[in-house]
């Protein structure tokens, strides 16, 4: 058998990993019966614990680590700012790390945060499967909340936007504008958000009778440059669809730039939508119709969930999908 983890002890004792941590460290009150149950499970499995994590439970640092895929992406920049404000309201400081969309660097960042004895971690995982091992390990060591994106098989809370509801808003809006065919431009399907947005696009397009050609589903990355490249590919392939649904605003901004350079009028010749409602979305030409993510609410809920665990409140892991809204601007107004 490999190294015994706190998760193994939790499964043997039939309690949460947070309860195991409290029972073994004595940092928070746990009933004597539960303490005995956890210690017996730990002894049976030969669990030695983690020295750093144990020290952490004995002495709080009032810091929370946050790991995001890219601080250059305005969506994550805004989310980080809201998380910092929410943490300040509860007397904690933010320790920010960027994983640069690299699962290996993400794992290093998580190990560093645990070693620095932060009280808990908020993370938006880079990859739906390649991030799982590191996120699970970190969740075994410290209270952890996933935001926006998530990996499955991890005993942690998650809070983000309801991606399917977001695509429902987009596709119904386009259908009301008379759209009969649409393209979808996104990053590769390597994380939960991208996968859910792609699935939502297809499902609601089919429901509303909006045609989607496979060649018009283009996957690359979340960037303005990819939006430009995708636009050129769509325009060159012809005939162009009635609308292009972009999985984030950066892609949509690149799409608008390339269309303008090619003499394609948006929205007269083509409707374009984005996702996130970053500040630049209102400043583009034309201003971009986009899904607004409730960043302040996501941040506040993430901090609340983390504070709940740090405050020794027992509860099963929560999944909180917040309702988005659609900001309609000129890119879809014929």
């Amino acid at each position: 058998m490999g190294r015994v983890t706190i998760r193994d002890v939790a499964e043997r004792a039939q309690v949460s990993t947070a309860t195991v941590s409290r029972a073994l460290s004595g940092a928070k009150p746990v009933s004597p019966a539960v303490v005995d149950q956890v210690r017996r499970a730990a002894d049976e499995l030969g669990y030695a614990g983690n020295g750093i994590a144990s020290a952490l439970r004995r002495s709080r640092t009032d810091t929370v680590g946050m790991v995001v895929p890219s601080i250059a992406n305005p969506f994550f920049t805004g989310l980080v700012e809201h998380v910092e404000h929410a943490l300040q309201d509860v007397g904690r400081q933010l320790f920010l790390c960027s994983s640069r969309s690299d699962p290996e660097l993400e794992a290093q960042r998580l190990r560093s945060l645990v070693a620095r004895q932060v009280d808990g971690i908020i993370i938006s995982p880079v990859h739906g499967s390649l991030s799982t091992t590191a996120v699970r390990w970190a969740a075994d060591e410290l209270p952890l909340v996933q935001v926006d994106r998530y990996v499955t098989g991890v005993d942690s809370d998650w809070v983000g936007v309801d991606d399917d509801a977001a695509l429902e808003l987009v596709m119904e809006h386009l259908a009301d504008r008379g759209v009969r065919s649409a393209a979808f431009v996104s990053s590769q399907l390597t994380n939960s958000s991208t996968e859910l947005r792609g699935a939502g696009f297809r499902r609601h397009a089919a429901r509303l009778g909006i045609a989607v050609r496979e060649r018009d589903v283009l996957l690359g990355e979340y960037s303005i440059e990819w939006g430009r490249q995708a636009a050129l590919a769509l325009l060159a392939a012809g005939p162009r669809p009635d609308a292009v649904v972009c999985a984030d605003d950066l892609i949509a901004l690149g799409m608008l730039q390339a269309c303008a350079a090619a003499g394609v009028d948006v929205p007269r010749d083509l409707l374009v939508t984005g996702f996130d409602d970053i500040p630049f979305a209102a400043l583009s030409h034309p201003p971009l119709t986009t899904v607004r993510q409730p960043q302040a609410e996501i941040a506040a809920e993430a901090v609340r969930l983390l504070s709940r665990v740090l405050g020794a409140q027992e509860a099963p892991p929560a999944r909180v999908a917040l309702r988005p809204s659609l900001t309609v601007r000129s890119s879809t107004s014929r």
Side-chain angles (χ1 to χ4, degrees):
M1 183 177 180
R3 185 179 72 89
V4 177
T5 68
I6 194 172
R7 175 182 291 274
D8 297 324
V9 177
E11 290 177 353
R12 175 67 68 90
Q14 297 184 324
V15 297
S16 69
T17 53
T19 297
V20 172
S21 296
R22 291 191 292 270
L24 295 181
S25 68
K28 291 288 182 178
V30 178
S31 71
V34 172
V35 171
D36 182 66
Q37 182 179 340
V38 169
R39 287 179 175 171
R40 186 166 59 252
D43 290 341
E44 292 171 354
L45 293 172
Y47 176 68
N50 178 284
I52 294 173
S54 296
L56 170 63
R57 269 52 172 205
R58 292 192 296 271
S59 178
R60 288 284 167 80
T61 62
D62 290 327
T63 59
V64 169
M66 185 172 185
V67 186
V68 296
S70 171
I71 56 174
N73 186 318
F75 168 73
F76 288 112
T77 303
L79 183 61
V80 166
E81 183 177 16
H82 286 298
V83 167
E84 182 179 32
H85 291 167
L87 286 172
Q88 186 175 22
D89 289 342
V90 296
R92 291 192 170 92
Q93 302 297 313
L94 178 66
F95 198 120
L96 176 63
C97 299
S98 173
S99 59
R100 303 177 191 171
S101 297
D102 181 345
E104 292 187 5
L105 182 58
E106 179 180 64
Q108 293 176 23
R109 299 299 196 223
L110 288 170
R111 289 194 294 270
S112 176
L113 288 173
V114 172
R116 288 177 181 273
Q117 301 187 9
V118 296
D119 293 341
I121 294 172
I122 297 173
I123 183 171
S124 183
V126 168
H127 197 280
S129 58
L130 299 181
S131 296
T132 301
T133 299
V135 174
R136 182 186 295 125
W137 173 82
D140 285 345
E141 299 296 321
L142 294 173
L144 180 146
V145 175
Q146 300 184 73
V147 294
D148 185 47
R149 308 172 183 180
Y150 61 84
V151 296
T152 58
V154 175
D155 185 21
S156 79
D157 298 316
W158 170 81
V159 58
V161 75
D162 186 331
D163 287 298
D164 184 77
L167 268 297
E168 181 181 21
L169 290 173
V170 170
M171 301 310 289
E172 289 187 346
H173 171 71
L174 293 178
D176 289 342
R177 294 296 190 273
V179 167
R180 305 311 301 161
S181 61
F184 182 67
V185 183
S186 179
S187 76
Q188 295 292 327
L189 304 181
T190 56
N191 64 71
S192 61
S193 292
T194 304
E195 291 175 351
L196 290 170
R197 291 172 196 178
F201 167 79
R202 290 182 181 275
R203 188 167 80 84
H204 294 294
R207 178 176 61 83
L208 295 164
I210 297 175
V212 179
R213 294 173 299 201
E214 282 305 313
R215 74 181 190 188
D216 290 342
V217 176
L218 304 177
L219 306 178
E221 62 182 17
Y222 288 126
S223 71
I224 292 175
E225 180 56 33
W226 167 238
R228 294 193 193 103
Q229 294 175 22
L232 294 176
L234 281 172
L235 297 178
R240 61 175 172 261
D242 296 335
V244 180
V245 176
C246 300
D248 88 333
D249 287 345
L250 295 180
I251 295 172
L253 293 175
M255 180 71 58
L256 292 178
Q257 290 179 1
C259 285
V264 175
D265 185 273
V266 177
R268 185 188 65 200
D269 302 326
L270 183 70
L271 305 188
V272 176
T273 69
F275 200 114
D276 289 337
D277 200 15
I278 63 176
F280 301 119
L283 304 177
S284 62
H285 182 72
L288 181 65
T289 292
T290 183
V291 173
R292 179 189 173 275
Q293 291 216 53
Q295 289 187 339
E297 292 88 342
I298 291 172
E301 184 65 10
V303 171
R304 185 191 72 80
L305 291 170
L306 191 65
S307 298
R308 180 185 67 173
V309 178
L310 292 172
Q313 297 180 37
E314 283 297 319
R319 289 186 56 80
V320 182
L322 299 176
R323 181 78 184 179
S325 60
L326 187 68
T327 302
V328 178
R329 299 191 180 100
S330 301
S331 69
T332 59
S333 298
R334 282 177 172 163

